Amino acid sequence: MTGREGGKKKPLKAPKKEGKEMDDEDMAFKQKQKDQQKALEAAKQQASKKGPLVGGGIKKSGKK
């Protein structure tokens, strides 16, 4: 075993995948996911503008 052979072997490069052809269903699904992601981001922005939701829960008295 010489110094050149030691160490971890590099894995072979994986062959490039062919570009998948997307039909109308795939395009519609991708568009639906993008719309849902945008709606989620908008909801996060809307929620961050308001203060924390503290209305319910157990109310603690000032006595100890």
Side-chain angles (χ1 to χ4, degrees):
M1 192 161 135
T2 64
R4 293 167 70 189
E5 295 175 9
K8 189 174 181 181
K9 300 268 184 191
K10 289 185 181 179
L12 296 174
K13 287 186 180 178
K16 290 185 180 180
K17 295 181 181 178
E18 291 182 19
K20 238 186 185 180
E21 291 185 23
M22 296 204 296
D23 58 359
D24 292 336
E25 285 183 23
D26 291 336
M27 295 293 276
F29 180 70
K30 291 252 186 201
Q31 187 64 34
K32 185 178 176 184
Q33 280 187 328
K34 284 183 183 179
D35 292 341
Q36 285 178 344
Q37 187 67 26
K38 284 181 184 178
L40 184 65
E41 291 295 325
K44 283 182 183 179
Q45 290 290 334
Q46 192 77 14
S48 67
K49 289 180 183 178
K50 297 179 182 179
L53 299 173
V54 288
I58 299 171
K59 307 234 183 213
K60 295 182 179 179
S61 66
K63 298 177 185 176
K64 288 190 175 181

